[in-house]
Amino acid sequence: MPFFIEVILPLALPKPFTYAINEAEYGFIKKGMRVAVPFGRNKIYTGLVIDLHQTPPQLYQAKEIHQILDDFPIVTEIQLKHWEWIASYYMCSIGDVYKSAMPSGYLLESETIITSKKDFSINDTQLSDEEYLVYEALQTQSALKIQEVAAILNKKTTLPVINKLIAKNAISLQEEINEKYKPKTIRYIRMQPEFLQEDNLSKLMEILSRAQKQREAVMYYFQLQAREKKPIAVKHFMEASGATAAVVKSLVDKDIFEEYHIEEDRVQFEKADDSAFGLSPKQQEAFDGIKDSFDKFQVTLLHGITSSGKTEIYIKLIEEFINSGKQVLYLLPEIALTTQLVVRLTAYFGNQVAVFHSKYSNNERIETWQQVLEDSEKARVIIGARSALFLPFKDLGLIVIDEEHEQTFKQQDPAPRYHARDAAIVLAGMFDAKVLLGSATPGIETYYNATGGKYGYVELKERYGNVMPPEIVLVDLKDKYKRKRMTGHFSDTLNEAIAEALSEDRQVILFQNRRGFSPWVECMTCGHVPQCPQCDVSLTYYKFKNQLRCHYCGYSIANPTHCHQCHSTDLSTKGFGTEQIEMELKELFPTKNVWRMDQDTTRGKFGYEKIIDAFKNREIDILVGTQMLAKGLHFDNVSLVGILNADNMLYQPDFRAFERAFQMMVQVAGRAGRKDVRGKVLIQTYNPLHNIIQQVTDNDYPAMYKEQVYERHNFKYPPFYRLIRLTLRQRDYEKLKDGALWVYNVLSQNLNMPVLGPEEPAISRIRNEYIRTIMIKLPQGNSLGGTKKAIRKILDSFDAVPQYKSIKITVNVDPY
């Protein structure tokens, strides 16, 4: 009787594939285990088993699996159910979700291995020079990888050479799968038991009579053993005793020391002794309000102003859930935020905290995955960015989503284009867990749900320790430029405020949401601006590297000395980014330490930690940064925050521009005066009377909400309508134009709802591909599932039209 398994592959395929197994394998394999399976001509992928059955596939002959990679399931049934929901709601394939969810160390891909054939007899005339080099290398090594052949030949195109060798029957290829995860082991030493007896000590000293350094090392070992009474790691022993690796090796070779290894977690945390704290009366009131709300609602919004002490409330709430034996997931919008939060939570909970995000190495992520799967004591609280949502929880009790309004919770590319907040609420529903959304400036959809009775709502209006909210001062740039009171991009008011803060030994944060030196370089003679040859954008100027760079495809050129169009040398930079602000500050305050925090300075694994720790330890006086700075970071000594140009944020081609600008400015302002002294915020703008800027000054969230909701209702935007955006890409402009029109016409005829487009976005070409977008607006009350099925059907029929086959379409549900 035949046996089969259904396997999902980490590829954008519309459905799982069926593979054949034998009866013994059928008895061993369970849902959620990984198997290595052949796919295509000679590729092997890591598939995930989602079903076992005895029905052969109708359309193809089922291949046999290559090997079973797990002894037990590493993906739970609830996870699979959640992945299926994400694939269905966000209109992508389950393979996309699987690839995105699993740490890449678990997704093994085959590497091509080249081996020499034993029966091949060499003839000098048979092989060319390059072929001979490969053949000769195979005589000294049993096998080579493709990358190694490329290194031997010193060229990238190795396939022609390999193909010729195969044709001459000199080599053979085989696909091999390698496990990438290796547990971390620490090397320890211990004294051989015979030398621990007193009568053998003299014998030991006799053996070492001529080796003074070895004798000293042994004596130190006895002291260390008596003092610490625990296993001694080789590294610790060498550092403490001053013994060299050669001394330790000699003692092991003489059978005096015995060497052994112990597996250890890569990430461990220590609990601090002074971490206990109490809640203020207002915090306690909010805490009790949340618990009452959880009795009636699955989801509760905590609307607490900046610096009101929301994190303390989260910690007390997490403690209650952990004590009842539940797991807790704490989601953050930025990896930068996890740095500070991990310190606070580990001080309180010790090694019960695990961290999961993309800056962690493969092995560290796999360890966290395994700890969560085993419901280990080391992973009661999981802190992470949006990808932590995919971990294999066993008994999830609470999900805390901090700064829930942040747009970084939405994954834009590649698929699945999910929103972590919405997907977390669905995941919590599967576990019957509670969700706490926290923000000083909630997203309009969340606030709409909370005031409409769908979510619980708790407000916290007082800053922790009764600290006054910061004083917000508007600076009119138009007036300052007119009166010639600007130094670079700094008004005299901002200059004086920075000088005053620094003289009081306080720190300053300056916000400019654009990296680089200048967004573009312009020829003052003919007006030419250097553009990226592959994208429809101007190149950003980086002064430090003296180059122009594209932020979309990474293309860069040296900074030109003359105009490429008219050869004039009169070139000028326009606009300004964080790099320019940093340079101006160094000229204005040469004795002060100025630092920059943006995507360019935080590339390494510990990029965030270094800057945040240095700022916290007061090694940095002025920190300039992009939106990374705006979120939830807590610095006691900051008394001044400056926003260099508020208008940049207001005038964006996006229906959420005003909401985002309000959130960003209030969040940045919230970094000021968080301890004893009242903070000050300076906002430089050309339009101080703009409604949003006035609402920021008064910190009037309800007024902003009312105004935005009124507009959204009029213009058919969320929360009253759902949005689905289709993006079409193709290198051929005319073909794309025709294809986009075809899709628009068919959608308009078949869907009884507004369809907008096909529209050229603000950046209409990226990496040599032209772009068109179509927006579908789904009214409330319309069947979401039915509409998506209709859209999917139309896209499938579009794929079947031969001339449009090369047009790529991506679907983005809730693209905001």
Side-chain angles (χ1 to χ4, degrees):
M1 190 176 235
F3 297 94
F4 299 97
I5 51 172
E6 290 297 309
V7 170
I8 51 175
L9 296 163
L11 303 166
L13 300 166
K15 59 184 190 307
F17 278 77
T18 308
Y19 284 87
I21 51 172
N22 60 39
E23 193 171 349
E25 289 168 338
Y26 188 78
F28 178 76
I29 292 176
K30 292 180 179 63
K31 283 186 193 180
M33 282 166 71
R34 293 173 308 147
V35 286
V37 293
F39 188 74
R41 275 192 187 165
N42 52 5
K43 270 281 186 189
I44 293 170
Y45 287 97
T46 305
L48 188 72
V49 180
I50 56 165
D51 200 12
L52 294 94
H53 58 82
Q54 294 181 320
T55 316
Q58 300 295 308
L59 301 172
Y60 54 91
Q61 181 74 37
K63 291 181 180 179
E64 290 188 359
I65 67 168
H66 194 279
Q67 68 194 87
I68 300 168
L69 296 172
D70 297 313
D71 296 329
F72 53 85
I74 61 162
V75 172
T76 66
E77 298 226 2
I78 289 184
Q79 259 182 303
L80 286 171
K81 202 170 140 194
H82 189 230
W83 293 2
E84 278 163 12
W85 177 85
I86 288 176
S88 140
Y89 184 85
Y90 291 103
M91 296 179 74
C92 62
S93 71
I94 186 98
D96 283 326
V97 185
Y98 167 47
K99 187 169 187 177
S100 178
M102 292 293 266
S104 50
Y106 273 144
L107 292 175
L108 320 166
E109 282 197 18
S110 56
E111 291 183 7
T112 304
I113 302 290
I114 300 161
T115 51
S116 66
K117 287 210 169 172
K118 293 201 169 52
D119 54 355
F120 179 73
S121 56
I122 187 164
N123 182 337
D124 291 350
T125 54
Q126 262 184 297
L127 302 179
S128 67
D129 292 348
E130 286 183 338
E131 289 161 19
Y132 185 77
L133 281 172
V134 176
Y135 180 79
E136 194 179 34
L138 281 168
Q139 302 315 301
T140 52
Q141 286 170 265
S142 58
L144 290 173
K145 291 178 186 167
I146 293 283
Q147 299 95 302
E148 291 168 335
V149 175
I152 291 165
L153 300 178
N154 198 18
K155 60 195 280 191
K156 284 182 182 173
T157 49
T158 56
L159 283 178
V161 179
I162 291 165
N163 285 335
K164 281 175 192 165
L165 283 166
I166 293 169
K168 289 170 183 172
N169 212 19
I171 60 169
S172 61
L173 301 185
Q174 64 187 76
E175 292 286 323
E176 190 178 274
I177 276 224
N178 291 330
E179 269 286 1
K180 290 179 185 168
Y181 170 66
K182 286 189 178 70
K184 181 183 180 183
T185 54
I186 303 289
R187 198 157 61 107
Y188 287 86
I189 47 168
R190 59 184 163 217
M191 185 71 75
Q192 292 283 13
E194 60 189 88
F195 294 120
L196 293 174
Q197 296 156 8
E198 277 187 39
D199 36 339
N200 284 345
L201 276 176
S202 54
K203 182 184 161 189
L204 174 62
M205 289 302 136
E206 202 178 305
I207 296 170
L208 299 174
S209 59
R210 291 186 180 177
Q212 193 190 342
K213 284 184 179 172
Q214 291 173 28
R215 195 166 69 237
E216 283 170 7
V218 168
M219 298 304 287
Y220 194 86
Y221 173 84
F222 284 123
Q223 287 175 25
L224 204 60
Q225 186 68 52
R227 192 166 68 232
E228 297 194 357
K229 295 184 173 61
K230 63 178 187 183
I232 295 172
V234 174
K235 189 179 176 190
H236 173 50
F237 175 69
M238 282 162 61
E239 281 169 3
S241 67
T244 62
V247 168
V248 175
K249 186 177 182 301
S250 301
L251 289 166
V252 171
D253 292 345
K254 286 177 180 174
D255 275 343
I256 294 167
F257 280 167
E258 181 190 351
E259 199 175 79
Y260 64 104
H261 293 79
I262 296 178
E263 277 190 27
E264 196 172 271
D265 291 337
R266 284 176 165 79
V267 183
Q268 294 183 335
F269 298 113
E270 293 292 321
K271 187 171 181 172
D273 299 329
D274 56 349
S275 60
F277 62 87
L279 296 179
S280 71
K282 285 284 182 194
Q283 284 176 318
Q284 189 64 48
E285 202 180 298
F287 179 72
D288 296 337
I290 291 165
K291 281 167 65 177
D292 293 344
S293 172
F294 278 160
D295 294 339
K296 303 181 203 115
F297 300 98
Q298 185 213 346
V299 183
T300 295
L301 169 64
L302 172 60
H303 185 184
I305 62 167
T306 52
S307 192
S308 56
K310 294 188 286 293
T311 309
E312 282 84 359
I313 296 174
Y314 300 153
I315 290 174
K316 290 292 183 191
L317 203 61
I318 288 167
E319 190 173 29
E320 288 205 355
F321 277 90
I322 288 179
N323 292 343
S324 67
K326 299 279 190 186
Q327 290 173 311
V328 177
L329 172 61
Y330 194 139
L331 283 181
L332 290 156
E334 284 270 1
I335 295 170
L337 278 184
T338 60
T339 308
Q340 263 201 346
L341 197 83
V342 167
V343 173
R344 289 177 78 177
L345 261 72
T346 50
Y348 197 83
F349 295 112
N351 211 20
Q352 290 182 297
V353 177
V355 184
F356 191 87
H357 57 65
S358 58
K359 279 276 196 283
Y360 266 43
S361 72
N362 249 328
N363 290 338
E364 285 165 349
R365 277 185 281 170
I366 286 176
E367 270 171 18
T368 303
W369 184 284
Q370 287 172 349
Q371 286 165 359
V372 174
L373 185 64
E374 291 158 12
D375 203 2
S376 156
E377 276 303 308
K378 293 173 188 164
R380 308 308 304 152
V381 186
I382 294 92
I383 302 175
R386 57 177 183 251
S387 57
L389 192 68
F390 293 120
L391 286 165
F393 298 102
K394 278 286 168 74
D395 191 8
L396 191 60
L398 172 71
I399 300 179
V400 176
I401 303 174
D402 200 10
E403 310 294 348
E404 65 80 31
H405 63 276
E406 278 298 339
Q407 67 198 69
T408 40
F409 276 127
K410 170 75 177 173
Q411 159 96 349
Q412 294 296 350
D413 269 313
R417 294 173 179 81
Y418 65 100
H419 197 298
R421 178 193 63 209
D422 303 343
I425 290 169
V426 172
L427 180 67
M430 292 174 178
F431 280 99
D432 200 20
K434 302 295 179 193
V435 180
L436 181 62
L437 306 172
S439 177
T441 53
I444 280 177
E445 294 78 20
T446 306
Y447 196 73
Y448 178 79
N449 286 333
T451 50
K454 190 177 174 184
Y455 297 167
Y457 180 70
V458 177
E459 201 169 7
L460 187 58
K461 287 181 173 176
E462 189 182 277
R463 277 190 145 196
Y464 186 70
N466 272 335
V467 177
M468 293 274 288
E471 172 199 357
I472 296 179
V473 180
L474 299 180
V475 178
D476 186 348
L477 285 176
K478 219 164 42 241
D479 181 59
K480 293 290 179 189
Y481 272 112
K482 197 174 169 184
R483 294 170 188 271
K484 297 193 167 44
R485 289 193 178 164
M486 297 292 291
T487 311
H489 294 96
F490 293 84
S491 60
D492 55 349
T493 318
L494 182 56
N495 247 332
E496 285 158 17
I498 294 172
E500 189 185 330
L502 295 174
S503 69
E504 291 168 1
D505 208 19
R506 297 275 174 189
Q507 289 165 293
V508 178
I509 286 178
L510 296 176
F511 175 77
Q512 168 60 9
N513 207 9
R514 206 168 244 170
R515 59 197 173 101
F517 186 87
S518 287
W520 73 92
V521 172
E522 189 180 344
C523 168
M524 301 313 285
T525 310
C526 72
H528 172 70
V529 174
Q531 299 277 325
C532 172
Q534 303 167 63
C535 310
D536 191 14
V537 288
S538 57
L539 295 170
T540 302
Y541 172 49
Y542 281 80
K543 185 157 190 162
F544 179 66
K545 292 182 174 171
N546 196 31
Q547 61 173 210
L548 302 181
R549 197 179 332 152
C550 171
H551 282 173
Y552 287 86
C553 67
Y555 170 85
S556 63
I557 56 169
N559 183 37
T561 49
H562 57 270
C563 172
H564 292 159
Q565 213 67 350
C566 70
H567 303 289
S568 158
T569 52
D570 189 8
L571 300 178
S572 167
T573 58
K574 299 287 179 183
F576 62 103
T578 47
E579 199 179 74
Q580 190 165 343
I581 297 303
E582 183 190 19
M583 287 189 68
E584 285 182 11
L585 282 165
K586 282 176 178 170
E587 285 172 20
L588 289 168
F589 304 99
T591 58
K592 299 299 177 186
N593 197 359
V594 181
W595 210 268
R596 175 162 55 96
M597 182 169 166
D598 56 28
Q599 212 177 323
D600 301 312
T601 60
T602 54
R603 290 204 188 277
K605 179 177 175 182
F606 300 108
Y608 298 110
E609 278 97 324
K610 282 176 191 161
I611 295 173
I612 287 170
D613 288 348
F615 194 65
K616 199 166 188 174
N617 299 337
R618 306 189 183 183
E619 293 162 26
I620 298 171
D621 300 304
I622 307 172
L623 186 58
V624 185
T626 56
Q627 62 190 21
M628 289 177 185
L629 280 178
K631 300 156 192 175
L633 292 169
H634 178 90
F635 302 113
D636 293 342
N637 196 38
V638 175
S639 66
L640 174 70
V641 167
I643 296 173
L644 288 151
N645 189 343
D647 308 309
N648 272 356
M649 295 178 267
L650 288 169
Y651 305 113
Q652 299 287 335
D654 178 12
F655 75 95
R656 298 194 72 164
F658 284 178
E659 178 198 353
R660 292 249 164 88
F662 177 87
Q663 288 166 341
M664 190 74 78
M665 283 189 262
V666 169
Q667 291 287 345
V668 175
R671 301 311 112 216
R674 294 174 73 95
K675 200 103 189 244
D676 324 311
V677 187
R678 187 180 185 192
K680 193 173 188 181
V681 180
L682 262 77
I683 300 177
Q684 297 193 152
T685 170
Y686 285 97
N687 193 357
L689 298 175
H690 194 288
N691 264 6
I692 289 290
I693 288 173
Q694 288 299 319
Q695 286 154 4
V696 170
T697 311
D698 304 333
N699 198 4
D700 193 351
Y701 181 87
M704 185 279 294
Y705 171 76
K706 260 184 211 152
E707 190 182 317
Q708 293 306 310
V709 158
Y710 174 74
E711 286 202 356
R712 301 233 186 138
H713 186 268
N714 283 351
F715 295 108
K716 299 186 169 73
Y717 278 112
F720 306 101
Y721 278 71
R722 284 267 174 76
L723 302 183
I724 297 178
R725 186 173 68 212
L726 307 181
T727 306
L728 294 87
R729 288 185 172 85
Q730 162 63 286
R731 285 171 173 252
D732 185 328
Y733 182 81
E734 289 303 323
K735 192 179 276 189
L736 177 72
K737 205 166 126 189
D738 293 349
L741 214 53
W742 188 100
V743 175
Y744 167 75
N745 288 331
V746 178
L747 285 169
S748 306
Q749 287 158 17
N750 288 280
L751 300 178
N752 188 22
M753 58 188 70
V755 179
L756 309 179
E759 183 67 52
E760 272 193 27
I763 294 160
S764 60
R765 184 172 60 105
I766 293 176
R767 292 191 177 90
N768 276 332
E769 290 184 320
Y770 292 97
I771 304 168
R772 283 277 192 285
T773 57
I774 295 170
M775 188 74 83
I776 303 159
K777 293 185 173 180
L778 287 73
Q780 266 181 343
N782 262 42
S783 159
L784 195 60
T787 307
K788 285 179 183 168
K789 271 184 192 155
I791 294 169
R792 176 54 59 208
K793 215 171 173 181
I794 290 164
L795 295 183
D796 289 345
S797 55
F798 176 75
D799 263 353
V801 180
Q803 70 259 39
Y804 301 142
K805 214 164 180 53
S806 57
I807 297 177
K808 284 182 258 178
I809 296 191
T810 54
V811 183
N812 198 343
V813 180
D814 302 340
Y816 42 88

